Amino acid sequence: MAVGKPWRATLAAPAPGPRLRAWLTEPGSLTRRCQRLSRHFQIRLLAQGRAPDLVATVPARARQMLVREVLLCCDGVPVIFAHTTLSTVGRGRLNRWLARLGSRSLGSLLFAYPGFRRGAIEFRRLDARDPLYRSAQNALADTCQLPPQLWARRSAHVLAGQRVTVCEVFLPALLALDA
């Protein structure tokens, strides 16, 4: 279970600045937005496999999870850490698609395939006590010092009864893209 503040349907105080707020509330694909704002966009696959869910995104009965962690990098700089979970209980298209995705963008699938329904976006501030914050910190492998708090968002995408939950942690270098 995640430590810290609960996920919320609105941005809680203290609210992020307008540039970060625009990223947090982006209704479309973050991948596409990053691609528009950088010369070279890359998905860096960090881990994929069965693991416990760090952010309690699914009911407790679905204990076995397929977890995928990536960094979205613009011009070689990590700007977003993404943690995706999919229950391995049952089988379906999403299990097969996620297993074969590799270093390709999950967003390109979620926003291109017409059968997906996206749930509400929820928000949370993370600190060093939160497993999601620590995963983002570990992903950066000491290449940069993170601020005491980071903003994150999550949303569920449903296809034929399967639910994949994507949590995105916004890293400090992200704001340089809009500068």
Side-chain angles (χ1 to χ4, degrees):
M1 180 125 183
V3 174
K5 300 187 183 298
W7 292 97
R8 300 191 182 274
T10 59
L11 290 166
R19 287 179 27 216
L20 182 53
R21 175 182 291 275
W23 280 95
L24 284 162
T25 59
E26 170 66 51
S29 168
L30 292 179
T31 295
R32 283 197 191 112
R33 187 167 177 183
C34 285
Q35 288 170 329
R36 284 193 313 268
L37 295 171
S38 64
R39 290 183 305 272
H40 176 69
F41 176 77
Q42 173 191 18
I43 299 288
R44 191 179 309 159
L45 180 62
L46 303 170
Q48 183 167 317
R50 292 176 188 246
D53 182 12
L54 294 178
V55 291
T57 56
V58 298
R61 70 180 185 280
R63 296 186 191 278
Q64 290 194 352
M65 303 299 294
L66 178 59
V67 175
R68 172 184 163 89
E69 292 185 338
V70 301
L71 283 171
L72 282 67
C73 301
C74 293
D75 301 321
V77 178
V79 295
I80 297 170
F81 169 77
H83 174 89
T84 301
T85 56
L86 173 66
S87 173
T88 58
V89 174
R91 292 284 175 220
R93 279 184 276 188
L94 279 176
N95 296 83
R96 291 187 304 276
W97 289 349
L98 205 56
R100 294 185 206 139
L101 202 54
S103 62
R104 289 176 291 148
S105 162
L106 177 61
S108 63
L109 173 65
L110 296 176
F111 289 95
Y113 192 82
F116 279 103
R117 287 188 336 272
R118 183 184 198 175
I121 297 174
E122 298 177 301
F123 310 95
R124 189 166 91 197
R125 280 181 295 146
L126 311 174
D127 62 29
R129 297 171 297 163
D130 194 292
L132 196 54
Y133 180 102
R134 290 193 306 271
S135 287
Q137 189 172 45
N138 291 339
L140 296 174
D142 300 323
T143 58
C144 78
Q145 181 67 31
L146 292 179
Q149 292 188 331
L150 295 171
W151 278 96
R153 74 177 196 175
R154 76 175 178 183
S155 60
H157 300 261
V158 178
L159 175 68
Q162 283 192 289
R163 171 185 162 137
V164 61
T165 301
V166 180
C167 297
E168 295 144 329
V169 179
F170 296 82
L171 304 174
L174 179 75
L175 296 180
L177 292 178
D178 287 331

